[in-house]
């Protein structure tokens, strides 16, 4: 059995027509038929039922098609792995992240990563469909919340547990409190991201659980504007504690929210059945190291 014969066989399965398959393969129909005949003789069973001018896969043909597709996937894996090995620090990497996560995880990180691996081409896309796009193969890596009932092909690498706090200007009356009940936010003027943002979705979820609503918030699409509005005393906002600790703004105070304390688990995703290149592995290592350094710094400051 030759690899070329399997290519011929799958081409026929795609077209379900010998002459069209021969045309797509740039070969003659007689050569194509001969190769399939060799294959059938070797296997000892017919692969196609010839019904007049039409053809259909036999049970043996269905088995061979399924296994051929697996062989082609492994061949593609091998080729990409060898190419990646040749290029070493070269290659491309497409990462999907939730809207807003770039502010914490990627702005500073990408600059340092590019300095260490200047030959790598990296694309970071903010999307609300991180999980779906990793499953579909659109993204090499995804950084998102831990999915429920993930696809068996998806590998999940835990990154950190993210807690959200109320951020106010340091002279705000609430700033004197170390913690307040979550429902207290309905009494405050709030500044929020748009409805598509993960933080807004999370706050909306917990607000529904408590039976409260945020009245007429000021809505912005960027972190820089949100922080400016809070620093100007326009209102309060809810942000990840790690982000606020990382930014270390002297005129902002973080207040713990209680009953509930909004939180979520963040992870990296990738397809286990696809080749994970040198670029992706290095980025995963760098991201984990970066998060650990931020967490260590926060622990020292709290201590």
């Amino acid at each position: 059995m030759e690899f070329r014969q399997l290519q011929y066989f799958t081409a026929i399965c795609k077209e379900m027509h010998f002459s069209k398959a021969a045309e797509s393969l740039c070969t003659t129909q007689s050569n194509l038929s001969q190769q399939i005949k060799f294959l059938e003789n070797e296997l000892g069973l017919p692969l196609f039922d010839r019904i007049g001018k039409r053809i259909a896969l036999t049970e043996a043909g269905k088995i061979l098609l399924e296994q051929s597709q697996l062989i082609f996937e492994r061949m593609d894996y091998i080729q990409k792995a060898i190419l990646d090995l040749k290029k070493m620090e070269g290659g491309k990497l497409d990462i999907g992240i939730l809207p807003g996560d770039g502010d914490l995880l990627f702005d500073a990180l990408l600059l340092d990563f590019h300095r260490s691996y200047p030959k790598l081409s990296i694309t970071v896309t903010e999307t609300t469909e991180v999980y779906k796009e990793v499953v579909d193969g659109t993204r090499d890596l995804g950084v998102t919340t831990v999915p429920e009932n993930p696809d068996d092909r998806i590998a999940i690498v835990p990154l950190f547990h993210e807690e959200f706090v109320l951020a106010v200007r340091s002279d705000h009356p609430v700033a004197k409190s170390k913690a307040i009940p979550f429902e207290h936010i309905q009494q405050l003027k709030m500044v929020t991201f748009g409805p598509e943002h993960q933080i807004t979705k999370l706050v909306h979820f917990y607000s529904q659980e408590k039976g409260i609503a945020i009245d007429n918030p000021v809505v912005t699409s960027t972190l820089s504007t949100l922080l400016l509005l809070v620093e100007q005393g326009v209102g309060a906002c809810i942000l990840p504690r790690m982000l606020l600790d990382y930014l270390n703004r002297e005129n902002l105070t973080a207040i713990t929210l209680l009953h509930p304390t909004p939180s979520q688990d963040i992870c990296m995703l990738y397809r286990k059945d696809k080749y994970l290149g040198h670029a992706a592995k290095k980025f995963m290592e760098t991201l984990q190291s970066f998060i650990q350094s931020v967490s260590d710094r926060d622990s020292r400051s709290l201590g």
Side-chain angles (χ1 to χ4, degrees), residues 133-185:
E133 291 176 8
V134 172
V135 172
D136 293 344
T138 307
R139 311 290 173 203
D140 301 310
L141 294 176
V143 178
T144 184
T145 54
V146 175
E148 296 181 6
N149 304 315
D151 189 290
D152 290 340
R153 297 169 295 174
I154 293 296
I156 299 174
V157 181
L159 286 177
F160 60 94
H161 181 73
E162 186 170 56
E163 178 186 315
F164 293 84
V165 296
L166 182 73
V168 297
R169 197 166 78 171
S170 296
D171 60 357
H172 192 287
V174 179
K176 297 177 183 178
S177 305
K178 290 185 177 181
I180 62 171
F182 179 84
E183 59 263 29
H184 193 81
I185 66 172

Side-chain angles (χ1 to χ4, degrees), residues 121-266:
S121 174
I122 303 177
T123 301
V124 177
T125 303
E126 292 194 349
T127 170
T128 58
E129 301 289 341
V130 175
Y131 171 76
K132 179 179 181 298
E133 291 176 8
V134 172
V135 172
D136 293 344
T138 307
R139 311 290 173 203
D140 301 310
L141 294 176
V143 178
T144 184
T145 54
V146 175
E148 296 181 6
N149 304 315
D151 189 290
D152 290 340
R153 297 169 295 174
I154 293 296
I156 299 174
V157 181
L159 286 177
F160 60 94
H161 181 73
E162 186 170 56
E163 178 186 315
F164 293 84
V165 296
L166 182 73
V168 297
R169 197 166 78 171
S170 296
D171 60 357
H172 192 287
V174 179
K176 297 177 183 178
S177 305
K178 290 185 177 181
I180 62 171
F182 179 84
E183 59 263 29
H184 193 81
I185 66 172
Q186 68 181 328
Q187 303 171 20
L188 304 173
K189 184 64 178 179
M190 298 295 294
V191 182
T192 69
F193 291 113
E196 77 288 344
H197 200 286
Q198 178 64 16
I199 294 178
T200 304
K201 291 179 180 179
L202 194 72
V203 173
H204 181 67
F205 170 78
Y206 284 111
S207 296
Q208 281 190 316
E209 279 199 335
K210 297 295 290 187
I212 64 173
I214 298 175
D215 187 36
N216 296 320
V218 177
V219 178
T220 179
S221 60
T222 64
L223 176 67
S224 58
T225 302
L226 184 143
L227 290 172
L228 177 63
L229 290 171
V230 176
E231 288 176 327
Q232 293 296 318
V234 174
C237 72
I238 294 176
L239 287 172
R241 181 184 295 278
M242 186 182 290
L243 172 61
L244 289 170
D245 290 342
Y246 179 73
L247 295 174
N248 194 28
R249 300 279 187 104
E250 291 184 0
N251 52 349
L252 289 181
T253 298
I255 301 162
T256 300
L257 294 167
L258 300 174
H259 315 301
T261 299
S263 64
Q264 60 187 8
D265 291 310
I266 302 298

Side-chain angles (χ1 to χ4, degrees), residues 64-132:
L64 183 61
L65 177 60
E66 180 183 343
Q67 296 304 313
S68 295
Q69 290 169 339
L70 294 175
I71 291 171
F72 293 142
E73 286 178 5
R74 299 313 298 173
M75 286 298 295
D76 182 62
Y77 182 102
I78 291 168
Q79 289 170 350
K80 288 181 179 178
I82 296 299
L83 180 62
D84 198 53
L85 184 63
K86 288 179 180 178
K87 294 195 295 185
M88 287 304 290
E89 293 182 357
K92 295 181 180 180
L93 181 59
D94 196 315
I95 307 166
I97 64 172
L98 290 172
D101 276 356
D103 300 314
L104 170 59
L105 298 175
F106 290 92
D107 288 350
L109 174 64
L110 283 176
L111 183 59
D112 290 340
F113 189 75
H114 177 69
R115 286 171 178 163
S116 300
Y117 305 98
K119 295 180 182 179
L120 289 179
S121 174
I122 303 177
T123 301
V124 177
T125 303
E126 292 194 349
T127 170
T128 58
E129 301 289 341
V130 175
Y131 171 76
K132 179 179 181 298

